[in-house]
Amino acid sequence: MADKKRFLNKNKYMLTGSFKRNGYDWWWHSFTGFNKKTGESRQFFIEYFFINPGRSPDKCVFGQLKGEHPSYFMMKAGAWGQGGCQLHNFYPTKQVKINRKKDFSFQAGKCFYSENHISGHVAVSAQTAKTHPEFMSDAGEMSWNLTVDKVTPFNVGYGTSWLFRALKAFEMYWHAQGVKTLYSGTVTLNGVEYAVIPDTCFGYADKNWGKDYTSPWIWLSSCNLTSNITRGKLHNTCFDIGGGKPRVFGIPLDRRVLVYLNYEGKKIEFNFSHFWVKSKVMFRFAEGDDLLHWTVSSENKEYLLDIDAYCRRSDTIFVNYESPKGRKDFDRLWNGGNAYGNMKLFRKKGKMLEIIEDAQFMNCGCEYGEFKTDFS
């Protein structure tokens, strides 16, 4: 509970100073719901997204359409799997009512965000999706009303400290207030109603902000793990992996990834900014004909953690964003919520390794992409 309260200031609105006219800030939520009639499970995502609010507060500007810097609040919502979609509605930032006090919250139309409650509605007609490619949206309709309990936070460390935030040192910041998050309520997607239940939602919540994105961009996270050793559920275990190629004061730090594991209440980190623990992280991503494959191997002075994750291509979408400068740098930013795989945790004992855990995971959030220019 102490960590939850201590890190809340990192989950607030960050578009101050130069980021007002050259920056983005978003709050991401993903979870599992169950069809109220059939019981079938479905993975959903919801994202509240600001970009360049100081440039055009009175009207929405789309960078790709006019070759300008974009400016708007975007409400993104959707689902993965068969019939997966991402739906976007837009509001001028002046229409967003922001409460910047201790109990931070904001509202745009019917869409509301706070630390313990999210609700909203998005609708995009087939005609709108077809005639407005700048909306980067599919057609459909989704509404939600959910209570939120962010149980397990991950503080990435110095990178999001007050000083580095004030200096605008990083091009992309990350804070995960809810590596394990309990959601409760309902979601309706294209007329089908789903129940979201805390014990089976396998939820996640984080935020990103800055003035550009990272390439490559990698993310993996799950809180639904079962031990292959005991055959029991690991109710208090979750992991979160994120990063790629961060830039600090414009200098790229090649292939730097942060790895966090909460293993039954014990926090284990592989963090390049914690130089004294000598962390190393290696990762690879491969596209197969049917499966996407992530491999991440992490070690520090005390532990070794290996994660293999897979996701069916048919269970993913190419998630869409434009940058603060108005570019759509990603054409193939793979994004899903149905990844699965294996996690192995070892303790180092001299030159030997002692296995602590061997576990299967499911309902894993996953992402990978590289800028289009990286292929040229």
Side-chain angles (χ1 to χ4, degrees):
M1 182 64 71
D3 280 351
K4 288 171 61 175
K5 292 181 178 179
R6 182 154 56 107
F7 301 140
L8 274 176
N9 66 319
K10 299 187 178 187
N11 223 42
K12 293 186 176 182
Y13 186 78
M14 298 293 183
L15 298 184
T16 60
S18 63
F19 282 178
K20 288 181 182 179
R21 294 179 58 82
N22 185 34
Y24 62 90
D25 199 354
W26 79 59
W27 293 257
W28 172 271
H29 305 263
S30 51
F31 53 88
T32 299
F34 293 85
N35 187 308
K36 286 191 173 183
K37 290 185 177 179
T38 68
E40 181 182 7
S41 66
R42 179 113 209 205
Q43 277 68 40
F44 298 93
F45 60 89
I46 297 166
E47 184 178 75
Y48 299 76
F49 178 98
F50 290 88
I51 192 165
N52 295 345
R55 287 190 176 269
S56 178
D58 296 312
K59 67 177 182 178
C60 296
V61 174
F62 301 94
Q64 298 177 80
L65 183 65
K66 297 185 177 182
E68 299 178 3
H69 291 75
S71 182
Y72 49 73
F73 170 78
M74 177 175 70
M75 189 70 249
K76 177 194 287 282
W80 295 293
Q82 186 176 4
C85 60
Q86 58 184 315
L87 309 173
H88 297 164
N89 282 171
F90 299 88
Y91 300 82
T93 55
K94 193 174 182 178
Q95 292 182 12
V96 185
K97 300 176 182 177
I98 302 177
N99 167 25
R100 300 174 185 263
K101 297 180 181 178
K102 185 177 181 180
D103 55 341
F104 172 68
S105 64
F106 59 84
Q107 184 162 4
K110 296 180 180 179
C111 302
F112 176 79
Y113 169 91
S114 73
E115 281 299 311
N116 53 26
H117 179 238
I118 58 173
S119 59
H121 175 262
V122 291
V124 184
S125 69
Q127 181 67 16
T128 297
K130 181 179 180 180
T131 58
H132 290 279
E134 72 274 15
F135 290 176
M136 306 174 291
S137 179
D138 301 311
E141 186 173 6
M142 179 169 152
S143 60
W144 60 96
N145 188 8
L146 299 163
T147 60
V148 183
D149 181 10
K150 298 172 184 175
V151 176
T152 306
F154 168 40
N155 171 35
V156 306
Y158 296 117
T160 55
S161 66
W162 175 87
L163 178 60
F164 279 88
R165 297 200 312 267
L167 292 173
K168 307 290 190 288
F170 282 81
E171 288 194 351
M172 186 174 189
Y173 292 84
W174 177 40
H175 175 66
Q177 186 66 21
V179 179
K180 179 178 181 179
T181 298
L182 306 180
Y183 295 93
S184 178
T186 58
V187 172
T188 303
L189 176 64
N190 295 327
V192 179
E193 193 170 7
Y194 295 81
V196 182
I197 303 163
D199 290 343
T200 56
C201 71
F202 310 115
Y204 177 84
D206 74 358
K207 82 187 301 280
N208 288 95
W209 71 96
K211 59 184 178 182
D212 205 349
Y213 311 128
T214 184
S215 176
W217 178 338
I218 183 174
W219 170 60
L220 292 167
S221 185
S222 177
C223 60
N224 182 11
L225 293 94
T226 302
S227 174
N228 291 325
I229 298 174
T230 67
R231 304 298 177 186
K233 295 290 289 186
L234 299 173
H235 294 289
N236 297 313
T237 296
C238 56
F239 67 82
D240 203 7
I241 299 168
K245 191 175 184 178
R247 287 179 175 268
V248 187
F249 297 112
I251 301 171
L253 304 177
D254 196 21
R255 299 183 75 81
R256 300 294 178 90
V257 171
L258 303 173
V259 178
Y260 170 81
L261 172 66
N262 189 314
Y263 176 64
E264 296 300 276
K266 181 175 179 60
K267 301 173 188 176
I268 301 171
E269 291 188 37
F270 306 87
N271 189 327
F272 64 86
S273 71
H274 298 170
F275 60 89
W276 56 92
V277 297
K278 299 181 179 179
S279 293
K280 297 179 182 178
V281 180
M282 296 180 291
F283 67 89
R284 290 190 302 170
F285 173 77
E287 296 182 25
D289 292 339
D290 299 312
L291 290 175
L292 307 174
H293 183 201
W294 293 255
T295 58
V296 182
S297 182
S298 314
E299 64 175 303
N300 58 29
K301 290 194 297 186
E302 190 174 356
Y303 297 102
L304 172 67
L305 176 69
D306 285 332
I307 289 179
D308 261 307
Y310 300 85
C311 192
R312 292 182 294 272
R313 292 169 70 116
S314 59
D315 275 342
T316 64
I317 61 172
F318 289 132
V319 68
N320 290 325
Y321 302 101
E322 57 182 359
S323 75
K325 295 188 184 303
R327 303 186 306 262
K328 190 172 185 293
D329 289 319
F330 291 104
D331 272 349
R332 296 166 61 83
L333 182 51
W334 296 98
N335 176 272
N338 298 309
Y340 60 91
N342 180 257
M343 179 198 83
K344 290 183 179 179
L345 176 65
F346 302 88
R347 179 181 287 111
K348 293 182 176 180
K349 288 197 167 184
K351 295 183 178 180
M352 305 295 290
L353 293 175
E354 175 191 22
I355 190 161
I356 299 173
E357 187 58 82
D358 180 345
Q360 300 293 316
F361 58 84
M362 299 177 64
N363 301 93
C364 179
C366 58
E367 205 159 32
Y368 188 84
E370 298 178 25
F371 286 167
K372 291 179 287 187
T373 53
D374 288 350
F375 295 104
S376 60

